[in-house]
Amino acid sequence: MYREQDVAAPVIETAMPIGKNARFVIIGAGISGVLMAIKLRERGFRNIVILEKAAAMGGTWRDNVYPGVACDVAAHLYSYSFAGNPWWRSRYAKGPDIWKYYHRVARRHSVLPLIEYHSEVVSAEFADGAWIVTTSDGRRFDTDVVIAAAGRLHAPVMPQIEGRESFAGAAFHTARWNPAIPLAGRRIGLIGTGSSATQIITALSGRAAKLSVFQRTPQWVFPVKDTPNAWWRRLGFWISKRQWHRYYLQLRSETEARGKAATASEEGRKARDQVCLDALAAIRDPQLRAKLTPDYDVGCKRLVFSDGFHEAVQHESVDIVVDPIDRIVPEGVVTSDGRLHELDVLAFATGFDAHAYIRPMKVVGEGGVTLDEVWRDLPLTYRAIAIPHMPNFLMINGPYSPGGTSSVVGIAEAQVDYILQLIDRIVGAGVLLSPREESSRDWLEAIREKSRHSVWGTGGCQSWYLDKTGTPTLDTSTLSELQAQLSTPQWDDFIERPR
Ligand SMILES: Cc1cc2nc3c(=O)[nH]c(=O)nc-3n(C[C@H](O)[C@H](O)[C@H](O)COP(=O)(O)OP(=O)(O)OC[C@H]3O[C@@H](n4cnc5c(N)ncnc54)[C@H](O)[C@@H]3O)c2cc1C
């Protein structure tokens, strides 16, 4: 068992500042890691390295290249606030365009040279007032501050199905899609029905000879219209900042209302539910409609947004298979009714291990306390940003960040602004900063209590939001609530010690 090691006086003014020579290691070159580096550079820090295990930046948008991959938050909101892009081609951006946008911003802000590719961090150990970060090839990086931006939906989950490895055709998780495999006119199997699967169904319906969708749980799907931004509109946005800003605010208030519907407003929830019900009612075949009707509340699982799913799923090439999978064989998938579904390609849209955040990395904080010990029961964090006993170790988009209520980009920006305030203190006063265990527990309990009563906790479904106790690991706050909560650190919640 680890114990609170609250040994220091709260404020130390006498330590040596480390100032602009402070060393930073950022783990992960996705949207969050790149954002952190941009902001540190703006503050005048030069000693920054981003350790990225893959061969390219971009995280989610590098890994997910399946047919139809897109963002379901409006593109203008899924952009950095300081790098507005008037040129988004439609309301919802496609995956490759998102990757290009973030790559361009990283290049413009001179962040690309800071990235060390093929550098998987395997451990971070605190010793003598600093951190030693080690990569899988044995390189060692000494640093004053570690910022983990390792992604929440990053570790693909593969289902345990008998014979999975025996399939003779191409088989992959949706986050490992092989674009070289031809799809037109082929028989494709898709296991899973979440957001990625819905995008794939919409993209492949009518293109594949047959698309067999193996469904365990039907999803609530909220129809949206992905309206193109005509060239003259994009030009207007580029010329007139005011016009662009007005559109941005309109999108933001719509998204905020959508977020609130998930967690707070009864009226908003009813209106949202009705949209999903109406879309379902428009399915012509009653048998298909019955298969696609969930038995849990709208919004309990992450709501799926789609332009075109309800039409696409009715195409004759699409078969929604509800009999459970018995096994996988070289020719395809055998369901419990004994039927063999012959396939050329098999895709697993089976999601991610959202609870693997940071792990399997080994993190050892002060006094030899490990992250595994601190997170044995629950991922204990302070405001999803800092961890007790891990001084000067910070996180972006960590466990209990808000989700499903707004754009992750806005959330990351709010968290980074808060982190910068902590960093100002760390480098300005030359201190070690870690949250008090008690403050972290209080904060976490308040978040858990709120989320327990949200539809994520009460809606009667299983989802990746839930921890092993059945409590959602998400903060229900909307973006503006989060921004208010993170505007100023409550310094009493931190332990401060000289380095
Ligand atoms: C298919 C899909 C669609 C999504 N759509 C939306 C959406 O519409 N709206 C929305 O708000 N969010 C969406 N998300 C969530 C999305 O993950 C976030 O919006 C955002 O991309 C997260 O960025 P990130 O930088 O925090 O994490 P990531 O993009 O996951 O990046 C983490 C980076 O860390 C690296 N890394 C991890 N571990 C290590 C290690 N040990 N050492 C070195 N490097 C490491 C990874 O390789 C990766 O590059 C979607 C996610 C998925 C998977």
Side-chain angles (χ1 to χ4, degrees):
M1 275 298 285
Y2 72 100
R3 288 181 298 117
E4 171 83 276
Q5 294 166 336
D6 188 350
V7 288
V11 179
I12 309 288
E13 297 291 359
T14 51
M16 283 295 289
I18 36 180
K20 298 298 176 207
N21 294 326
R23 299 159 300 171
F24 297 91
V25 165
I26 299 169
I27 304 171
I31 291 175
S32 304
V34 167
L35 170 67
M36 190 72 239
I38 291 173
K39 293 293 172 181
L40 288 172
R41 277 181 52 80
E42 276 175 11
R43 274 227 177 2
F45 296 111
R46 290 289 171 269
N47 218 333
I48 307 161
V49 61
I50 307 180
L51 298 177
E52 168 54 59
K53 69 181 185 183
M57 55 79 66
T60 292
W61 306 103
R62 172 201 66 222
D63 291 345
N64 290 272
V65 294
Y66 56 78
V69 60
C71 191
D72 61 22
V73 169
H76 288 89
L77 299 181
Y78 200 78
S79 318
Y80 294 137
S81 60
F82 55 87
N85 175 20
W87 303 110
W88 289 118
R89 289 187 288 178
S90 54
R91 186 182 169 102
Y92 299 100
K94 307 283 174 280
D97 288 345
I98 298 173
W99 186 87
K100 277 187 215 143
Y101 163 81
Y102 281 104
H103 188 265
R104 197 167 59 236
V105 177
R107 184 163 40 76
R108 281 201 189 136
H109 287 261
S110 306
V111 163
L112 295 179
L114 307 178
I115 305 175
E116 298 258 352
Y117 298 106
H118 303 292
S119 301
E120 177 170 10
V121 174
V122 288
S123 70
E125 298 190 41
F126 182 74
D128 300 328
W131 287 88
I132 302 162
V133 176
T134 310
T135 52
S136 57
D137 55 3
R139 278 172 301 147
R140 166 186 166 149
F141 298 80
D142 291 3
T143 184
D144 300 303
V145 181
V146 178
I147 298 138
R152 223 166 169 191
L153 300 182
H154 171 65
V157 169
M158 290 294 271
Q160 298 304 318
I161 300 173
E162 187 193 322
R164 198 185 78 203
E165 302 294 335
S166 70
F167 181 62
F172 33 70
H173 188 277
T174 50
R176 300 289 179 270
W177 197 277
N178 180 354
I181 301 290
L183 302 170
R186 305 191 77 192
R187 298 162 303 176
I188 298 165
L190 184 62
I191 299 180
T193 48
S195 294
S196 294
T198 305
Q199 291 177 344
I200 292 168
I201 294 166
T202 309
L204 293 187
S205 155
R207 199 174 136 205
K210 175 119 193 165
L211 179 59
S212 305
V213 180
F214 299 94
Q215 172 184 284
R216 191 174 58 185
T217 318
Q219 303 278 337
W220 287 110
V221 181
F222 188 99
V224 290
K225 201 88 210 104
D226 185 15
T227 40
N229 288 324
W231 67 265
W232 45 265
R233 192 165 201 214
R234 286 182 260 159
L235 192 63
F237 288 155
W238 185 62
I239 293 168
S240 161
K241 275 222 153 53
R242 245 180 94 205
Q243 189 185 341
W244 182 87
H245 196 63
R246 217 179 307 130
Y247 179 62
Y248 175 84
L249 290 179
Q250 176 205 328
L251 287 173
R252 194 179 153 142
S253 76
E254 280 171 26
T255 307
E256 192 91 328
R258 196 167 98 179
K260 273 221 162 66
T263 56
S265 128
E266 186 58 36
E267 205 178 311
R269 194 151 59 218
K270 275 194 190 142
R272 183 199 56 181
D273 295 2
Q274 198 54 50
V275 173
C276 296
L277 286 163
D278 290 348
L280 199 55
I283 302 270
R284 293 176 290 274
D285 174 0
Q287 274 182 356
L288 178 61
R289 198 184 319 130
K291 283 184 189 176
L292 294 174
T293 304
D295 62 358
Y296 54 85
D297 293 352
V298 180
C300 179
K301 285 172 176 288
R302 188 185 191 278
L303 193 54
V304 176
F305 296 90
S306 173
D307 179 359
F309 169 77
H310 294 94
E311 265 317 300
V313 77
Q314 296 185 77
H315 192 274
E316 60 191 3
S317 62
V318 180
D319 182 16
I320 300 290
V321 182
V322 293
D323 292 300
I325 294 175
D326 182 60
R327 62 190 186 281
I328 294 174
V329 294
E331 302 79 26
V333 168
V334 178
T335 41
S336 61
D337 55 353
R339 189 171 150 209
L340 168 65
H341 303 262
E342 288 186 271
L343 303 169
D344 304 308
V345 178
L346 180 56
F348 295 87
T350 39
F352 301 87
D353 181 359
H355 308 291
Y357 188 80
I358 298 187
R359 271 82 59 90
M361 204 187 304
K362 178 179 156 204
V363 182
V364 185
E366 60 188 353
V369 175
T370 67
L371 186 68
D372 284 346
E373 285 170 318
V374 180
W375 284 7
R376 181 171 293 148
D377 301 327
L378 291 170
L380 179 62
T381 79
Y382 178 72
R383 297 188 179 273
I385 286 174
I387 307 169
H389 307 290
M390 305 291 160
N392 299 1
F393 185 105
L394 305 161
M395 292 180 295
I396 308 169
N397 203 5
Y400 298 102
S401 290
T405 52
S406 46
S407 161
V408 167
V409 182
I411 292 163
E413 287 194 340
Q415 294 178 331
V416 165
D417 285 348
Y418 185 89
I419 287 175
L420 288 170
Q421 297 187 63
L422 301 186
I423 286 173
D424 284 346
R425 181 78 200 148
I426 289 167
V427 303
V431 293
L432 299 170
L433 215 54
S434 57
R436 292 178 189 281
E437 197 178 313
E438 200 188 323
S439 314
S440 306
R441 289 200 188 286
D442 290 350
W443 177 80
L444 187 56
E445 199 30 59
I447 294 296
R448 280 164 54 82
E449 185 55 21
K450 259 182 14 185
S451 71
R452 237 179 240 127
H453 297 291
S454 73
V455 67
W456 306 326
T458 61
C461 70
Q462 272 301 319
S463 80
W464 66 263
Y465 290 169
L466 304 179
D467 64 19
K468 56 189 176 196
T469 71
T471 308
T473 54
L474 295 180
D475 181 354
T476 57
S477 302
T478 60
L479 180 56
S480 31
E481 287 164 354
L482 184 77
Q483 286 166 334
Q485 291 156 16
L486 294 182
S487 61
T488 320
Q490 278 134 340
W491 297 107
D492 288 349
D493 288 343
F494 287 91
I495 301 169
E496 216 178 83
R497 292 193 288 115
R499 294 180 74 234

Short mmCIF file of all heavy atoms in Angstrom, two decimals, residues 457-498:
data_model
loop_
_atom_site.label_atom_id
_atom_site.label_comp_id
_atom_site.label_asym_id
_atom_site.label_seq_id
_atom_site.Cartn_x
_atom_site.Cartn_y
_atom_site.Cartn_z
N GLY A 457 -24.41 6.36 -16.84
CA GLY A 457 -24.46 5.44 -15.70
C GLY A 457 -25.81 4.78 -15.51
O GLY A 457 -25.90 3.68 -14.97
N THR A 458 -26.89 5.46 -15.97
CA THR A 458 -28.23 4.96 -15.66
C THR A 458 -28.96 4.38 -16.88
O THR A 458 -30.06 3.85 -16.74
CB THR A 458 -29.12 6.11 -15.12
OG1 THR A 458 -29.20 7.12 -16.16
CG2 THR A 458 -28.55 6.73 -13.86
N GLY A 459 -28.33 4.51 -18.07
CA GLY A 459 -29.06 4.20 -19.30
C GLY A 459 -29.22 2.72 -19.63
O GLY A 459 -29.82 2.37 -20.64
N GLY A 460 -28.66 1.83 -18.78
CA GLY A 460 -28.91 0.40 -18.97
C GLY A 460 -28.10 -0.23 -20.08
O GLY A 460 -28.60 -1.10 -20.80
N CYS A 461 -26.86 0.21 -20.26
CA CYS A 461 -26.03 -0.41 -21.31
C CYS A 461 -24.63 -0.70 -20.76
O CYS A 461 -24.25 -0.20 -19.71
CB CYS A 461 -25.89 0.53 -22.50
SG CYS A 461 -24.87 1.98 -22.16
N GLN A 462 -23.88 -1.50 -21.52
CA GLN A 462 -22.45 -1.70 -21.28
C GLN A 462 -21.73 -0.77 -22.24
O GLN A 462 -22.11 -0.68 -23.40
CB GLN A 462 -22.05 -3.14 -21.63
CG GLN A 462 -22.21 -4.13 -20.50
CD GLN A 462 -21.37 -3.74 -19.28
OE1 GLN A 462 -20.25 -3.31 -19.41
NE2 GLN A 462 -21.96 -3.87 -18.09
N SER A 463 -20.70 -0.06 -21.77
CA SER A 463 -19.95 0.77 -22.72
C SER A 463 -18.53 0.96 -22.24
O SER A 463 -18.20 0.67 -21.09
CB SER A 463 -20.62 2.15 -22.86
OG SER A 463 -20.26 2.98 -21.77
N TRP A 464 -17.68 1.47 -23.15
CA TRP A 464 -16.28 1.69 -22.78
C TRP A 464 -16.14 2.84 -21.79
O TRP A 464 -15.08 3.05 -21.23
CB TRP A 464 -15.40 1.87 -24.00
CG TRP A 464 -15.64 3.11 -24.85
CD1 TRP A 464 -16.38 3.18 -26.00
CD2 TRP A 464 -15.12 4.43 -24.64
NE1 TRP A 464 -16.37 4.46 -26.51
CE2 TRP A 464 -15.59 5.25 -25.71
CE3 TRP A 464 -14.31 5.02 -23.68
CZ2 TRP A 464 -15.28 6.61 -25.83
CZ3 TRP A 464 -14.00 6.38 -23.80
CH2 TRP A 464 -14.48 7.16 -24.86
N TYR A 465 -17.23 3.57 -21.57
CA TYR A 465 -17.18 4.65 -20.59
C TYR A 465 -17.04 4.10 -19.17
O TYR A 465 -16.60 4.79 -18.27
CB TYR A 465 -18.49 5.45 -20.61
CG TYR A 465 -18.73 6.31 -21.83
CD1 TYR A 465 -19.97 6.89 -22.04
CD2 TYR A 465 -17.72 6.58 -22.76
CE1 TYR A 465 -20.22 7.72 -23.14
CE2 TYR A 465 -17.97 7.39 -23.86
CZ TYR A 465 -19.22 7.96 -24.04
OH TYR A 465 -19.46 8.76 -25.11
N LEU A 466 -17.50 2.84 -18.96
CA LEU A 466 -17.64 2.34 -17.59
C LEU A 466 -16.36 1.69 -17.07
O LEU A 466 -15.67 0.98 -17.81
CB LEU A 466 -18.77 1.32 -17.52
CG LEU A 466 -20.14 1.81 -18.02
CD1 LEU A 466 -21.17 0.69 -17.92
CD2 LEU A 466 -20.62 3.03 -17.24
N ASP A 467 -16.08 1.91 -15.78
CA ASP A 467 -14.95 1.20 -15.16
C ASP A 467 -15.46 -0.13 -14.59
O ASP A 467 -16.62 -0.49 -14.77
CB ASP A 467 -14.27 2.08 -14.10
CG ASP A 467 -15.19 2.40 -12.93
OD1 ASP A 467 -16.20 1.68 -12.73
OD2 ASP A 467 -14.91 3.36 -12.19
N LYS A 468 -14.57 -0.83 -13.87
CA LYS A 468 -14.97 -2.17 -13.41
C LYS A 468 -16.07 -2.13 -12.35
O LYS A 468 -16.72 -3.13 -12.09
CB LYS A 468 -13.74 -2.96 -12.92
CG LYS A 468 -12.96 -2.28 -11.82
CD LYS A 468 -11.66 -3.00 -11.55
CE LYS A 468 -10.88 -2.22 -10.51
NZ LYS A 468 -9.50 -2.53 -10.38
N THR A 469 -16.33 -0.94 -11.78
CA THR A 469 -17.43 -0.84 -10.81
C THR A 469 -18.73 -0.42 -11.50
O THR A 469 -19.74 -0.21 -10.84
CB THR A 469 -17.11 0.18 -9.69
OG1 THR A 469 -17.17 1.50 -10.28
CG2 THR A 469 -15.76 -0.05 -9.06
N GLY A 470 -18.66 -0.21 -12.82
CA GLY A 470 -19.86 0.20 -13.56
C GLY A 470 -20.09 1.70 -13.52
O GLY A 470 -21.16 2.18 -13.88
N THR A 471 -19.07 2.46 -13.09
CA THR A 471 -19.20 3.92 -13.03
C THR A 471 -18.49 4.53 -14.23
O THR A 471 -17.38 4.13 -14.56
CB THR A 471 -18.53 4.45 -11.73
OG1 THR A 471 -19.06 3.73 -10.64
CG2 THR A 471 -18.78 5.94 -11.55
N PRO A 472 -19.13 5.51 -14.88
CA PRO A 472 -18.48 6.12 -16.05
C PRO A 472 -17.17 6.82 -15.67
O PRO A 472 -17.09 7.45 -14.62
CB PRO A 472 -19.52 7.14 -16.55
CG PRO A 472 -20.82 6.69 -15.97
CD PRO A 472 -20.49 6.04 -14.67
N THR A 473 -16.18 6.69 -16.52
CA THR A 473 -14.88 7.33 -16.26
C THR A 473 -14.79 8.65 -17.02
O THR A 473 -13.72 9.01 -17.53
CB THR A 473 -13.71 6.43 -16.69
OG1 THR A 473 -13.93 6.07 -18.05
CG2 THR A 473 -13.59 5.19 -15.85
N LEU A 474 -15.90 9.33 -17.13
CA LEU A 474 -15.93 10.60 -17.85
C LEU A 474 -16.51 11.68 -16.95
O LEU A 474 -17.40 11.42 -16.14
CB LEU A 474 -16.83 10.51 -19.08
CG LEU A 474 -16.45 9.57 -20.21
CD1 LEU A 474 -17.49 9.66 -21.30
CD2 LEU A 474 -15.09 9.93 -20.76
N ASP A 475 -16.01 12.88 -17.16
CA ASP A 475 -16.57 14.05 -16.51
C ASP A 475 -17.75 14.52 -17.36
O ASP A 475 -17.64 14.58 -18.58
CB ASP A 475 -15.45 15.11 -16.47
CG ASP A 475 -15.86 16.39 -15.79
OD1 ASP A 475 -17.05 16.53 -15.44
OD2 ASP A 475 -14.98 17.25 -15.63
N THR A 476 -18.86 14.85 -16.74
CA THR A 476 -20.05 15.27 -17.50
C THR A 476 -19.99 16.74 -17.92
O THR A 476 -20.90 17.22 -18.59
CB THR A 476 -21.32 15.08 -16.64
OG1 THR A 476 -21.15 15.82 -15.43
CG2 THR A 476 -21.59 13.63 -16.32
N SER A 477 -18.92 17.45 -17.51
CA SER A 477 -18.88 18.89 -17.78
C SER A 477 -18.88 19.17 -19.27
O SER A 477 -18.25 18.45 -20.05
CB SER A 477 -17.60 19.51 -17.20
OG SER A 477 -17.53 19.27 -15.82
N THR A 478 -19.54 20.25 -19.65
CA THR A 478 -19.44 20.72 -21.03
C THR A 478 -18.14 21.53 -21.14
O THR A 478 -17.49 21.82 -20.13
CB THR A 478 -20.62 21.65 -21.39
OG1 THR A 478 -20.58 22.75 -20.50
CG2 THR A 478 -21.94 20.93 -21.28
N LEU A 479 -17.82 21.92 -22.36
CA LEU A 479 -16.54 22.62 -22.56
C LEU A 479 -16.50 23.93 -21.77
O LEU A 479 -15.51 24.24 -21.10
CB LEU A 479 -16.31 22.88 -24.05
CG LEU A 479 -15.02 23.60 -24.40
CD1 LEU A 479 -13.81 22.85 -23.86
CD2 LEU A 479 -14.90 23.77 -25.91
N SER A 480 -17.60 24.72 -21.81
CA SER A 480 -17.52 26.00 -21.10
C SER A 480 -17.44 25.78 -19.59
O SER A 480 -16.77 26.54 -18.88
CB SER A 480 -18.65 26.96 -21.48
OG SER A 480 -19.79 26.29 -21.80
N GLU A 481 -18.09 24.74 -19.09
CA GLU A 481 -17.96 24.45 -17.65
C GLU A 481 -16.51 24.08 -17.32
O GLU A 481 -15.93 24.53 -16.33
CB GLU A 481 -18.90 23.30 -17.26
CG GLU A 481 -20.36 23.73 -17.21
CD GLU A 481 -21.35 22.54 -17.21
OE1 GLU A 481 -20.91 21.38 -17.36
OE2 GLU A 481 -22.55 22.81 -17.10
N LEU A 482 -15.92 23.24 -18.18
CA LEU A 482 -14.53 22.82 -17.94
C LEU A 482 -13.60 24.03 -17.96
O LEU A 482 -12.71 24.17 -17.11
CB LEU A 482 -14.10 21.81 -19.01
CG LEU A 482 -12.70 21.24 -18.79
CD1 LEU A 482 -12.73 20.18 -17.68
CD2 LEU A 482 -12.13 20.63 -20.06
N GLN A 483 -13.80 24.91 -18.95
CA GLN A 483 -12.94 26.09 -19.04
C GLN A 483 -13.02 26.91 -17.76
O GLN A 483 -12.00 27.40 -17.25
CB GLN A 483 -13.34 26.95 -20.25
CG GLN A 483 -12.89 26.32 -21.57
CD GLN A 483 -13.56 26.94 -22.78
OE1 GLN A 483 -14.66 27.49 -22.69
NE2 GLN A 483 -12.91 26.85 -23.93
N ALA A 484 -14.24 27.03 -17.22
CA ALA A 484 -14.39 27.80 -15.96
C ALA A 484 -13.68 27.08 -14.81
O ALA A 484 -12.95 27.70 -14.02
CB ALA A 484 -15.87 27.99 -15.66
N GLN A 485 -13.85 25.76 -14.74
CA GLN A 485 -13.24 25.00 -13.64
C GLN A 485 -11.71 25.07 -13.69
O GLN A 485 -11.04 25.05 -12.66
CB GLN A 485 -13.64 23.52 -13.72
CG GLN A 485 -15.10 23.25 -13.43
CD GLN A 485 -15.56 21.93 -14.09
OE1 GLN A 485 -14.75 21.12 -14.50
NE2 GLN A 485 -16.86 21.77 -14.20
N LEU A 486 -11.16 25.14 -14.91
CA LEU A 486 -9.70 25.09 -15.04
C LEU A 486 -9.07 26.47 -15.20
O LEU A 486 -7.88 26.58 -15.48
CB LEU A 486 -9.32 24.22 -16.25
CG LEU A 486 -9.66 22.74 -16.17
CD1 LEU A 486 -9.18 21.99 -17.41
CD2 LEU A 486 -9.06 22.08 -14.93
N SER A 487 -9.87 27.52 -15.00
CA SER A 487 -9.31 28.85 -15.28
C SER A 487 -8.17 29.21 -14.32
O SER A 487 -7.19 29.81 -14.73
CB SER A 487 -10.41 29.91 -15.24
OG SER A 487 -10.97 29.91 -13.96
N THR A 488 -8.28 28.82 -13.06
CA THR A 488 -7.22 29.15 -12.09
C THR A 488 -6.96 27.94 -11.20
O THR A 488 -7.89 27.38 -10.62
CB THR A 488 -7.70 30.28 -11.14
OG1 THR A 488 -8.42 31.24 -11.90
CG2 THR A 488 -6.54 30.94 -10.43
N PRO A 489 -5.71 27.55 -11.05
CA PRO A 489 -5.41 26.43 -10.14
C PRO A 489 -5.73 26.78 -8.69
O PRO A 489 -5.55 27.93 -8.28
CB PRO A 489 -3.91 26.21 -10.32
CG PRO A 489 -3.56 26.87 -11.61
CD PRO A 489 -4.51 28.00 -11.78
N GLN A 490 -6.23 25.81 -7.96
CA GLN A 490 -6.40 25.99 -6.51
C GLN A 490 -5.13 25.46 -5.86
O GLN A 490 -4.97 24.25 -5.70
CB GLN A 490 -7.64 25.24 -6.01
CG GLN A 490 -8.90 26.04 -6.26
CD GLN A 490 -10.02 25.23 -6.86
OE1 GLN A 490 -9.80 24.16 -7.44
NE2 GLN A 490 -11.23 25.72 -6.74
N TRP A 491 -4.24 26.37 -5.55
CA TRP A 491 -2.89 25.97 -5.15
C TRP A 491 -2.88 25.16 -3.86
O TRP A 491 -1.97 24.36 -3.63
CB TRP A 491 -1.98 27.20 -5.03
CG TRP A 491 -1.82 27.89 -6.35
CD1 TRP A 491 -2.37 29.08 -6.72
CD2 TRP A 491 -1.10 27.41 -7.50
NE1 TRP A 491 -2.04 29.39 -8.03
CE2 TRP A 491 -1.26 28.37 -8.53
CE3 TRP A 491 -0.36 26.27 -7.78
CZ2 TRP A 491 -0.69 28.22 -9.79
CZ3 TRP A 491 0.22 26.13 -9.03
CH2 TRP A 491 0.05 27.09 -10.02
N ASP A 492 -3.90 25.36 -3.03
CA ASP A 492 -3.95 24.59 -1.77
C ASP A 492 -4.11 23.09 -2.03
O ASP A 492 -3.87 22.27 -1.14
CB ASP A 492 -5.14 25.05 -0.91
CG ASP A 492 -4.88 26.41 -0.31
OD1 ASP A 492 -3.72 26.87 -0.40
OD2 ASP A 492 -5.83 27.01 0.22
N ASP A 493 -4.58 22.76 -3.21
CA ASP A 493 -4.77 21.35 -3.54
C ASP A 493 -3.46 20.66 -3.94
O ASP A 493 -3.44 19.47 -4.24
CB ASP A 493 -5.78 21.19 -4.69
CG ASP A 493 -7.20 21.48 -4.22
OD1 ASP A 493 -7.43 21.49 -3.00
OD2 ASP A 493 -8.08 21.72 -5.07
N PHE A 494 -2.39 21.44 -3.99
CA PHE A 494 -1.09 20.89 -4.41
C PHE A 494 -0.08 20.89 -3.26
O PHE A 494 -0.14 21.74 -2.36
CB PHE A 494 -0.50 21.73 -5.55
CG PHE A 494 -1.21 21.52 -6.86
CD1 PHE A 494 -2.30 22.33 -7.20
CD2 PHE A 494 -0.83 20.52 -7.73
CE1 PHE A 494 -2.97 22.14 -8.39
CE2 PHE A 494 -1.49 20.32 -8.93
CZ PHE A 494 -2.57 21.12 -9.27
N ILE A 495 0.83 19.95 -3.32
CA ILE A 495 1.99 19.95 -2.45
C ILE A 495 3.14 20.54 -3.26
O ILE A 495 3.36 20.11 -4.40
CB ILE A 495 2.37 18.52 -2.01
CG1 ILE A 495 1.20 17.86 -1.28
CG2 ILE A 495 3.61 18.54 -1.14
CD1 ILE A 495 1.41 16.37 -1.06
N GLU A 496 3.83 21.48 -2.63
CA GLU A 496 4.93 22.11 -3.34
C GLU A 496 6.21 21.89 -2.57
O GLU A 496 6.24 22.09 -1.35
CB GLU A 496 4.64 23.61 -3.43
CG GLU A 496 5.09 24.23 -4.70
CD GLU A 496 4.73 25.70 -4.75
OE1 GLU A 496 5.48 26.53 -4.20
OE2 GLU A 496 3.69 26.02 -5.34
N ARG A 497 7.26 21.44 -3.23
CA ARG A 497 8.55 21.22 -2.55
C ARG A 497 9.68 21.76 -3.40
O ARG A 497 9.57 21.77 -4.63
CB ARG A 497 8.76 19.72 -2.30
CG ARG A 497 7.80 19.14 -1.29
CD ARG A 497 8.21 17.76 -0.84
NE ARG A 497 8.04 16.72 -1.84
CZ ARG A 497 9.02 16.03 -2.39
NH1 ARG A 497 10.28 16.28 -2.08
NH2 ARG A 497 8.78 15.08 -3.27
N PRO A 498 10.77 22.16 -2.77
CA PRO A 498 11.90 22.61 -3.59
C PRO A 498 12.51 21.42 -4.33
O PRO A 498 12.41 20.29 -3.86
CB PRO A 498 12.88 23.17 -2.57
CG PRO A 498 12.50 22.57 -1.27
CD PRO A 498 11.07 22.22 -1.32
#
